[in-house]
Amino acid sequence: MAVRITRRRLLEAGGALVGAASLPGGLALAQEREVHGLSTFGELALPPDFPHFAYVNPNAPKGGSLTVQIKRAGGNQSFDTFNTLNTYVLQGDGAAGMDACFDSLMAGSGDEPGSLYGLLAKSVAVSQDKLTYRFRMRPEAKFHDGSRVTAGDVAFSLNILKSKGHPSYRLILNEMESATAETDEFVLVKLTPKRSRDLHLIVAGLPVFSEKYWSTRNFEASTLEPPLGSGAYKVGRFEQGRFIEFDRVPDYWAKDLPVNVGTNNFDRVRWEYFRDRQVAFEAFKSGVITFQEEFTSRIWATGYDFPAIKEGKVKKEALPKTEPIGSQGWIYNLRREKFADPRIREALGLAFDFEWTNKNIMFSSFSRATSYFENSDSKAVGMPSPEELALLEPFRGKVPDEVFGEPFLPPVSDGSGSDRALLRRADEMLRAAGCKRDGNVLKLPNGQPFEIEFLDSTPSLQPHTQPFQANLKRLGINATSRIVDGAQYQRRLDEFDFDIISRAMSGSAIPSDSLRVVYGSEAAKTRGSRNTGGISSPAIDAMIDKIGQADSYAEVVVAAKCLDRLLRAGRYWIPMWWNASEWLAYWDMYDRPQAKPKYSSGAPAIWWYDPEKAKRIGKG
């Protein structure tokens, strides 16, 4: 357990009441409290003078390189190509790793979810009603061209992300009332009374751009011009769609700040792009990629027998996951009439035989996903508690009755690959929903043949999808796959032009208001949003509001469990699977701290290059 300190102890340790004399503008009030960090519920584990995070090696050497492949994408990023270095807008396919070029006001700890400590901002004064945040900028903060990072740059960045940024930023910043520079040192951020509990953390964690740099450029356009940043790295060599390198900034202004000590240890970080997962694995085997996070069970079980493994040059580890697991599944496009009836959606899910798939394709490596909050306190289990019922009761009669009972669990099949009992139940549900069989063809209630296209940008899931599609065809549904290139795939997702896609969402130790970007009704109507399925429900919106307004972790958990019940009752997805371990493989030329963050493996962010190890394996 992390040592927690009370607000009183925080004040005694160095926080102070801030009067008007020490801040610009005559409106500063004595109620403002200046602190060295921000947290979800107002308490920080570390004092103002903490030297570094506990899980880093403060003496980690700098040097060497790391080469990886993009495995997680956000905003406008694509997994298999890039054509722009601006990842903060909708236009284009963004390059991996660009966030390393930009600092934020504050930075987080892997030991302490929901807490941030000073980076560009030395401290922040918080009003009593928690609607006004006055950040004090560090005078030594510099962009890569040597110019100072000012409060004006912060205000510009927040305002332009709200007005012209990717839809995810625009939606989440909706309740930021204003961001203004009072002087070069102080930026004032005001939130509306409707603000979510964590909006101040989101604001403090957003990238800060140079206002002067962007004054002569179109922020919304695609560009291959390396942008001006202030972070630990800057763009180095790159070849559009193939690779991009980031060079460590030797005189990085913040390298000795507590939030950065022991991190950013590689001189060069390179991201390689491959359109095929097997080709990427061959690149790892040959040493082109040097660090690999593996997600393919077949490769993990059978692929790691190449010479470098046997010679001890490559290490393979399965580390237990301590952090919450997100959701993964096939997502319906609810905007399409054929998926409007939840009985139809549930019937389609009955045709997926997880037990057969796990045993025959995935080497029994996975567990069935049942919740949107796996491996987490927020997962709904059993009957609703009295606290949950208090939140759900206003929606009785407006949501499925199931919400007030045991949460939905996908059935366990007989493992045959084509469970006749489940397919019979699926057929009955389809008929009850108005579908009719015409020979070998199932017709929708409107008389049209039932056809489904599974859209993807990679064939890696085809072994899992094809047996599922075969079962759907037994029901009279013409289920097909379409594999398109990464750019086209992203365009179709942005335009909501698909039937079914597969999607994995990351988990969170403390669910927050940002869930509205994924499940909120407004996001469902916003082109390019992460609510790709089009979920739109007043009850779900209300639970997200409750999560965002909760005053304690216990209240967050209650509201998140209610959200989980509602999402599962809606049959908005066909749940896939989750892995209790993090599969890592790497060429043995790196070292790492003995400790690890409580909520992640820390790999490879806090690792470093070991030249002696590299020489031993012929990589020096």
Side-chain angles (χ1 to χ4, degrees), residues 197-244:
R197 182 198 63 243
D198 288 332
L199 183 53
H200 61 304
L201 300 180
I202 293 170
V203 165
L206 290 174
V208 172
F209 313 120
S210 165
E211 181 178 19
K212 181 180 178 181
Y213 173 87
W214 285 105
S215 66
T216 58
R217 295 165 175 84
N218 180 4
F219 184 76
E220 295 178 279
S222 294
T223 178
L224 289 174
E225 177 187 4
L228 177 62
S230 64
Y233 289 86
K234 59 183 178 181
V235 176
R237 297 189 312 129
F238 66 90
E239 187 174 332
Q240 180 181 332
R242 294 192 61 190
F243 74 87
I244 182 168

Side-chain angles (χ1 to χ4, degrees), residues 323-327 368-379 507 564 573 578:
E323 70 273 21
I325 309 295
S327 59
R368 183 73 192 266
T370 60
S371 167
Y372 287 75
F373 299 100
E374 292 289 358
N375 206 39
S376 161
D377 294 340
S378 299
K379 178 178 179 177
D564 193 31
W573 66 335
W578 66 282

Side-chain angles (χ1 to χ4, degrees), residues 240-525:
Q240 180 181 332
R242 294 192 61 190
F243 74 87
I244 182 168
E245 293 181 347
F246 296 88
D247 298 329
R248 186 171 62 83
V249 178
D251 58 349
Y252 172 43
W253 74 272
K255 65 181 185 298
D256 297 321
L257 289 183
V259 294
N260 283 328
V261 170
T263 69
N264 306 314
N265 299 320
F266 300 106
D267 280 349
R268 179 172 294 108
V269 177
R270 178 179 171 115
W271 297 82
E272 290 277 359
Y273 280 81
F274 295 92
R275 295 185 184 275
D276 183 88
R277 193 171 294 188
Q278 185 61 46
V279 174
F281 183 59
E282 295 300 322
F284 173 71
K285 288 165 62 175
S286 66
V288 172
I289 293 174
T290 59
F291 178 91
Q292 175 89 338
E293 187 176 3
E294 187 59 70
F295 292 100
T296 305
S297 55
R298 175 184 56 81
I299 293 178
W300 184 253
T302 65
Y304 286 85
D305 60 352
F306 51 93
I309 282 276
K310 297 174 180 178
E311 296 165 5
K313 295 180 179 180
V314 171
K315 299 293 185 183
K316 175 187 177 188
E317 295 185 78
L319 303 178
K321 288 181 179 176
T322 54
E323 70 273 21
I325 309 295
S327 59
Q328 180 173 346
W330 283 287
I331 309 297
Y332 299 111
N333 186 353
L334 303 175
R335 304 169 186 85
R336 301 208 160 165
E337 183 183 353
K338 56 188 161 188
F339 300 126
D341 193 319
R343 292 173 295 181
I344 290 179
R345 301 197 295 268
E346 181 176 347
L348 299 181
L350 294 176
F352 171 54
D353 191 330
F354 167 77
E355 284 67 32
W356 183 91
T357 304
N358 193 34
K359 180 180 179 180
N360 291 277
I361 296 177
M362 303 191 296
F363 300 86
S364 299
S365 300
F366 291 87
S367 299
R368 183 73 192 266
T370 60
S371 167
Y372 287 75
F373 299 100
E374 292 289 358
N375 206 39
S376 161
D377 294 340
S378 299
K379 178 178 179 177
V381 179
M383 299 293 290
S385 66
E387 293 79 9
E388 291 174 65
L389 287 173
L391 297 184
L392 293 170
E393 280 295 343
F395 299 97
R396 190 179 286 274
K398 303 174 184 176
V399 298
D401 291 341
E402 175 189 296
V403 169
F404 300 91
E406 297 275 348
F408 174 74
L409 293 173
V412 177
S413 78
D414 62 10
S416 66
S418 182
D419 188 317
R420 292 188 177 186
L422 291 181
L423 291 177
R424 190 178 305 115
R425 194 200 310 178
D427 182 69
E428 291 170 355
M429 295 185 72
L430 290 166
R431 292 176 187 272
C435 297
K436 295 180 180 179
R437 194 70 177 252
D438 183 2
N440 292 326
V441 177
L442 185 72
K443 292 190 174 180
L444 291 161
N446 63 9
Q448 295 296 313
F450 201 158
E451 298 178 341
I452 300 174
E453 180 183 88
F454 288 72
L455 181 69
D456 211 332
S457 62
T458 170
S460 60
L461 279 177
Q462 285 301 289
H464 313 72
T465 306
Q466 287 171 351
F468 178 22
Q469 292 173 333
N471 280 340
L472 291 173
K473 289 178 181 179
R474 290 184 177 94
L475 294 171
I477 300 169
N478 182 24
T480 60
S481 292
R482 181 179 294 274
I483 311 298
V484 299
D485 65 70
Q488 184 181 351
Y489 180 77
Q490 191 59 51
R491 296 293 85 73
R492 289 187 62 173
L493 260 60
D494 289 343
E495 300 293 341
F496 308 130
D497 180 19
F498 65 90
D499 285 341
I500 293 179
I501 60 165
S502 62
R503 177 58 66 92
M505 306 299 296
S506 59
S508 173
I510 307 178
S512 72
D513 178 69
S514 61
L515 289 168
R516 74 176 63 256
V517 176
V518 187
Y519 305 121
S521 297
E522 187 62 31
K525 301 180 290 185

